[in-house]
Amino acid sequence: MKKIAILISCLLVLLVGACANTSDKEKTKTTTIHISAAASLKDTMDDVKPLFEKVYPSIKLSFDFGGSGQIRERVESGAPIDGVLLASKKDADTLSNQKLAENTKEFAGNDLVLIELKNAEQKEGLSLEQLLDNADKIAIGDPESVPAGAYAKQTLENLNLYNTEKAKLVLATDVRQVLSYVEAGNADAGFVYQTDAILSKKVQVKAKIDAKLHDPIAYYSAQVTDSEKKEPTTTFLDFMNKSEAQKILEKYGFKAAD
């Protein structure tokens, strides 16, 4: 009987241990969500990711970056994306109207600027028109897929300069490529966001574009409708409007959402 009692005790210890191990595994189980974000948000997301994962240790973030139009097309093609961060109301609305995204929310704003190399030989005090006229090559994001490029095209059209400057335009796949073109001297000037210009030590802002010359620049988060990870994705997208994320956005030069 004594041996049986000892055997039963050992079995109980093993059973309790197994349950404890199962409970620990359940506590440490994590879910990875995939977010497609506008290229201009890359550095910001590098800071947001560890902060978010510290606050929500059961949720891990995986990102890819590109032009908002490219991201929209990927969602339309059924790519495995749980949520999007777009720099274009048009693309956000298109996904929403197609029932491919939901819970769209504005979380930040930005400014459009014209940049040149820091050592560029330009006179001070030149108007935007004069700066563009002096440039042989002007880099902009492809207006069909890059919001910053669409804002740049609107600016040129509203200044009645698009037809004049069109032959000079060098199209890029996203706003960061515009920045790299100017940094490398492959373009004399480029239209980027204020936040991109701040990141580079090689370029200078030559003109801040009047917001009246283009549509409002705003960033939108949205849940991809067919995502199987809606709860953790919503947690992250909501986080982008919370003070912790907003402080990081502000640090990188983004404006608060209207």
Side-chain angles (χ1 to χ4, degrees):
M1 292 294 292
K2 187 175 181 180
K3 290 182 179 181
I4 293 174
I6 292 173
L7 181 60
I8 291 173
S9 296
C10 289
L11 290 172
L12 287 172
V13 170
L14 290 172
L15 182 61
V16 170
C19 291
N21 287 336
T22 300
S23 177
D24 289 341
K25 288 180 180 178
E26 289 177 351
K27 289 179 181 178
T28 58
K29 184 178 179 181
T30 61
T31 299
T32 299
I33 59 174
H34 189 83
I35 305 296
S36 286
S40 52
L41 290 166
K42 186 180 186 311
D43 297 270
T44 306
M45 292 303 106
D46 287 343
D47 281 9
V48 167
K49 176 178 165 64
L51 176 61
F52 175 81
E53 291 179 349
K54 182 178 180 180
V55 177
Y56 300 96
S58 65
I59 306 174
K60 301 301 178 185
L61 300 176
S62 172
F63 290 99
D64 70 75
F65 300 91
S68 294
Q70 296 169 331
I71 294 171
R72 171 183 52 74
E73 290 174 353
R74 291 188 64 223
V75 174
E76 290 172 336
S77 67
I81 301 169
D82 298 300
V84 295
L85 302 175
L86 303 171
S88 162
K89 186 176 189 301
K90 178 182 176 181
D91 289 312
D93 287 345
T94 297
L95 290 176
S96 179
N97 292 337
Q98 295 180 89
K99 309 299 182 184
L100 295 175
E102 56 194 16
N103 301 327
T104 301
K105 187 184 300 183
E106 183 179 343
F107 67 91
N110 214 331
D111 289 311
L112 189 70
V113 298
L114 184 77
I115 59 169
E116 291 183 352
L117 279 174
K118 281 191 174 179
N119 61 0
E121 296 181 2
Q122 283 272 33
K123 294 180 180 178
E124 294 299 320
L126 296 180
S127 66
L128 176 60
E129 291 87 344
Q130 290 171 318
L131 290 167
L132 295 171
D133 185 57
N134 289 344
D136 292 325
K137 292 183 179 180
I138 304 166
I140 72 169
D142 185 342
E144 295 299 316
S145 59
V146 183
Y151 300 134
K153 182 180 178 181
Q154 289 175 352
T155 297
L156 294 173
E157 288 175 335
N158 286 325
L159 291 172
N160 295 315
L161 292 174
Y162 184 71
N163 291 331
T164 304
E165 306 294 346
K166 186 176 181 180
K168 299 180 181 180
L169 300 182
V170 179
L171 302 186
T173 57
D174 59 52
V175 71
R176 290 299 172 87
Q177 190 173 63
V178 172
L179 180 64
S180 69
Y181 281 167
V182 177
E183 288 179 329
N186 294 324
D188 305 299
F191 285 94
V192 299
Y193 295 124
Q194 174 71 28
T195 51
D196 299 298
I198 289 173
L199 294 172
S200 177
K201 296 179 180 180
K202 297 180 179 180
V203 305
Q204 58 183 325
V205 173
K206 296 298 292 186
K208 182 177 178 180
I209 310 306
D210 189 334
K212 296 177 181 178
L213 294 173
H214 55 73
D215 290 340
I217 300 174
Y219 289 73
Y220 298 86
S221 63
Q223 165 87 56
V224 175
T225 305
D226 64 359
S227 168
E228 296 179 355
K229 302 173 182 178
K230 289 190 175 183
E231 186 174 342
T233 301
T234 297
T235 299
F236 169 69
L237 298 180
D238 287 346
F239 183 78
M240 291 307 301
N241 283 89
K242 292 186 177 180
S243 61
E244 300 96 324
Q246 289 291 309
K247 287 178 182 178
I248 294 175
L249 287 162
E250 182 181 357
K251 182 181 81 170
Y252 281 96
F254 288 90
K255 297 158 65 175
D258 291 333

